[in-house]
Amino acid sequence: AYWTEEILNTFCDICIKAIEKGMRPNTHFDKAGWKYVMNCFNEKIDHALMKAQLKNKWDGIKKDWRI
């Protein structure tokens, strides 16, 4: 998937909302959290991405943030 700055910002905003709703009890989203993120993301963006693609992006963002 090609991630533009706008799509990345949308993804981050959705993840923040999921965290605020308590869908990330530890360091990862729970099952309901990933379902929420996936559904909200696919509603806002025209192309549907799978959980694995979103999780890979989440993990990549965390690595970039640490650097």
Side-chain angles (χ1 to χ4, degrees), residues 39-58:
N39 288 337
C40 289
F41 185 79
N42 291 338
E43 286 176 8
K44 292 188 179 197
I45 306 299
D46 290 336
H47 34 316
L49 296 179
M50 304 294 290
K51 176 188 168 192
Q53 292 171 305
L54 296 174
K55 186 177 181 321
N56 286 339
K57 188 62 176 177
W58 173 259

Side-chain angles (χ1 to χ4, degrees), residues 20-66:
E20 290 172 349
K21 289 184 177 197
M23 296 179 175
R24 185 179 155 217
N26 295 318
T27 58
H28 298 289
F29 289 112
D30 57 10
K31 194 176 225 181
W34 277 117
K35 187 174 182 180
Y36 173 82
V37 169
M38 192 169 59
N39 288 337
C40 289
F41 185 79
N42 291 338
E43 286 176 8
K44 292 188 179 197
I45 306 299
D46 290 336
H47 34 316
L49 296 179
M50 304 294 290
K51 176 188 168 192
Q53 292 171 305
L54 296 174
K55 186 177 181 321
N56 286 339
K57 188 62 176 177
W58 173 259
D59 292 340
I61 291 171
K62 286 189 341 185
K63 287 178 187 175
D64 290 344
W65 183 79
R66 286 184 189 143

